[in-house]
Amino acid sequence: MLRSLARGVALAVVAGSMLTASALAQPGGGGGDRGRGGPGGGMMMMGGGMGGGMMGGFDPPVTSAQLDKYATQLKFTDDQKEAAKALFDGYFAAFQSKADAARKKMDDVREQFRETRDPSVWTSVGESMQEFRKQRTEAEKAFMADLKSLLTPEQENTWPKIERERRRDTTMRMGFMSGERMDVVAMVDRMKLSPEQMATVTPILDAYEQELDPALAKRNELMENAMGQGMQMFRRMMDNGGAPDDEMTKMFEDGRKNAMRVRDINRRYASQVEAALPAEVASKFRDEVNRESYPAVYRQRYANTALTAAEAFPDLTDAQKQSIQSLREGYQRDLAQLQDKGKKAQDEQEANFSLQNMMAFRGNDAMRELRTQGEALDTRTLDTLKNILTPEQAAKLPERNQGGRRGEDRVEIIGGPGGDSAPADNQRRRAPRRGGGGEGGNNGNGNGGGNQPR
């Protein structure tokens, strides 16, 4: 019975959130610090959504930083900015009271589960979390409608582009297939292209936005519908001995099909952008595409960090420099081969993923073997590096981050050339904090004095 219940919980998490093809294909792509947008929240998602409100959880759906960005894009006048701020303050206060109530309900249930270890207690939170998810969506729609009411006819021409950008920014990373979470426009922005290069790719990006938006909206609609039925699916599955019924299977396959459509659009336009760029820039863009599409394969490794640190030691002899360079080249060559195999293994797993595999908790033998090979490669490289260095130099190597919080030294086949870390934009998006000390940046690391994200 417990095994059946555990399977039911897992399936409700997957089917209820429409993880589609790669729920298991990207270990480390989510969870924990949520990294690149993988599933998080455990049973919390059974309550009708990802933490009670799509990706945002209990955070407000519109932040003050986003409002400032929209005001700049729309070229608001001072009067419009004041009116928008007044609307935002009212919206934020109303939303926060609802979020506090929903959060307390979740905390109470979580504490009850700690005391009783009874999984059935989570059923009581389903309706309240589903209601909060609805309130969160309504609050977002109402505020954006109020904001639009402030626009001049000229500014209204810019509004559809802002809506498309917002849909990508707030929902793209709900995807779980390789390449489905990849925002090609944001990736190009991070490249800091020259004006001439931007002029070449801008028509491609315009076409990308137009084609992607309806596909993304459809995927989100299916996902919202599935999340709203999470508890019902869980109960039906329990009544069916832990097996999914035809309706759940169809919902899963519909979500899978639409996720693939988003993924394919991303990949196609990313290829067009790459083809339009000069060779050196195109290579960097391709590396970015790989990191975005296969975060578990291309995330930073400690061996890369150690090599980069050693290369910068000022007291290296010429012989040491040459040995480290040779070690670097061999490491990158071997790692690249593992990464290519990892991409193929992940694509294969996503292509064959099904509810039946999820029910059986079937992993991927190829991925496990490649992770083992990656760990062995790192160990050999680090041992060789320490033999090249003096004991004093080896002691100066950066501390190994066993937890992998920043993407280092995880068990996946990860890493990138030259010790480059994953883009900061791929860390979990947090609403900026606003308070007496100022407003933090989009990564949530600002020095704002307030406690609530705004």
Side-chain angles (χ1 to χ4, degrees):
M1 175 62 185
L2 289 179
R3 181 174 177 82
S4 177
L5 182 60
R7 288 181 175 178
V9 170
L11 185 57
V13 171
V14 174
S17 303
M18 298 311 292
L19 305 194
T20 63
S22 63
L24 295 180
Q26 302 203 35
D33 203 28
R34 200 177 280 263
R36 295 192 176 221
M43 290 188 187
M44 190 162 145
M45 285 193 284
M46 291 169 53
M50 305 258 303
M54 300 288 280
M55 282 288 284
F58 297 110
D59 293 340
V62 183
T63 69
S64 59
Q66 290 170 337
L67 176 60
D68 291 343
K69 179 181 179 181
Y70 302 151
T72 299
Q73 291 174 314
L74 293 163
K75 299 179 180 179
F76 269 8
T77 65
D78 289 342
D79 287 343
Q80 285 177 312
K81 290 179 182 178
E82 285 298 317
K85 183 180 182 301
L87 288 173
F88 179 84
D89 289 342
Y91 136 85
F92 182 83
F95 173 83
Q96 200 58 56
S97 65
K98 294 181 174 64
D100 289 344
R103 186 183 293 107
K104 184 179 185 305
K105 173 69 174 178
M106 179 61 69
D107 289 343
D108 289 345
V109 172
R110 187 180 293 112
E111 183 61 30
Q112 187 178 357
F113 176 74
R114 288 196 191 102
E115 294 176 357
T116 65
R117 313 309 296 178
D118 178 7
S120 66
V121 302
W122 291 99
T123 60
S124 66
V125 81
E127 291 184 2
S128 61
M129 290 299 103
Q130 186 170 340
E131 177 61 24
F132 174 69
R133 182 173 59 85
K134 179 180 177 182
Q135 292 172 345
R136 190 176 190 276
T137 300
E138 291 174 347
E140 177 183 12
K141 290 180 178 178
F143 176 76
M144 295 301 288
D146 288 343
L147 186 65
K148 185 178 179 181
S149 71
L150 301 177
L151 305 183
T152 65
E154 183 179 1
Q155 290 168 336
E156 287 181 355
N157 294 330
T158 307
W159 188 255
K161 185 175 181 64
I162 287 179
E163 288 184 315
R164 293 193 295 269
E165 178 183 340
R166 176 168 177 78
R167 199 184 323 273
R168 294 195 310 274
D169 188 54
T170 59
T171 70
M172 182 71 88
R173 293 192 178 277
M174 288 161 46
F176 291 85
M177 298 190 78
S178 301
E180 186 190 351
R181 300 190 298 275
M182 177 172 61
D183 183 347
V184 179
V185 175
M187 291 167 58
V188 170
D189 286 344
R190 290 197 295 270
M191 294 296 295
K192 306 298 182 185
L193 301 179
S194 68
E196 294 77 15
Q197 292 165 350
M198 277 302 304
T200 301
V201 302
T202 293
I204 300 174
L205 298 180
D206 289 342
Y208 166 71
E209 284 187 312
Q210 294 286 347
E211 184 174 350
L212 174 70
D213 193 62
L216 190 60
K218 179 63 176 178
R219 186 209 70 175
N220 295 346
E221 178 186 353
L222 290 171
M223 189 177 290
E224 281 274 18
N225 181 52
M227 288 193 293
Q229 299 183 47
M231 287 306 302
Q232 295 92 324
M233 288 190 293
F234 174 70
R235 294 190 183 102
R236 292 205 315 270
M237 190 170 54
M238 290 299 94
D239 292 341
N240 197 34
D245 56 24
D246 291 343
E247 182 180 349
M248 293 170 64
T249 300
K250 182 180 184 303
M251 184 177 294
F252 183 90
E253 290 303 324
D254 286 346
R256 173 191 176 93
K257 179 178 69 175
N258 282 273
M260 290 175 64
R261 185 182 176 198
V262 171
R263 179 203 65 185
D264 292 346
I265 292 172
N266 287 340
R267 288 180 172 179
R268 177 156 41 87
Y269 280 95
S271 295
Q272 292 181 30
V273 169
E274 180 184 335
L277 295 173
E280 182 178 351
V281 180
S283 177
K284 294 180 180 179
F285 183 75
R286 183 166 57 252
D287 290 341
E288 180 79 354
V289 170
N290 280 331
R291 284 192 290 263
E292 285 285 313
S293 300
Y294 303 92
V297 176
Y298 286 91
R299 202 174 291 178
Q300 171 72 326
R301 291 198 79 102
Y302 174 72
N304 257 327
T305 302
L307 284 166
T308 300
E311 288 167 335
F313 288 168
D315 57 345
L316 293 176
T317 66
D318 289 342
Q320 284 178 315
K321 291 179 182 178
Q322 184 175 355
S323 295
I324 293 175
Q325 180 180 353
S326 177
L327 179 62
R328 159 78 74 185
E329 292 171 354
Y331 176 73
Q332 293 301 156
R333 181 180 59 252
D334 293 344
L335 181 61
Q337 292 176 357
L338 289 177
Q339 288 170 335
D340 286 342
K341 292 178 181 178
K343 287 170 57 176
K344 293 176 182 177
Q346 187 165 313
D347 285 342
E348 181 180 353
Q349 180 167 347
E350 291 180 359
N352 298 322
F353 190 80
S354 65
L355 285 182
Q356 287 71 24
N357 288 343
M358 182 63 198
M359 288 294 294
F361 290 103
R362 293 172 186 157
N364 186 302
D365 292 338
M367 292 291 285
R368 279 194 292 267
E369 174 59 26
L370 289 169
R371 284 197 291 270
T372 299
Q373 293 179 26
E375 292 167 3
L377 173 62
D378 268 16
T379 299
R380 292 194 307 270
T381 301
L382 291 168
D383 288 344
T384 303
L385 177 61
K386 291 177 181 178
N387 287 332
I388 294 172
L389 301 174
T390 66
E392 292 76 17
Q393 290 170 331
K396 295 178 182 179
L397 291 173
E399 182 179 354
R400 189 165 188 165
N401 188 347
Q402 299 289 349
R405 178 179 176 84
R406 295 186 181 278
E408 294 183 356
D409 198 33
R410 299 179 65 100
V411 297
E412 294 83 9
I413 311 163
I414 51 185
D420 294 337
S421 60
D425 184 62
N426 293 330
Q427 301 302 319
R428 179 181 181 184
R429 293 172 181 260
R430 294 188 179 97
R433 298 182 181 274
R434 179 174 174 178
E439 187 164 329
N442 286 338
N443 61 1
N445 294 326
N447 296 322
N451 294 322
Q452 300 297 338
R454 295 188 62 173

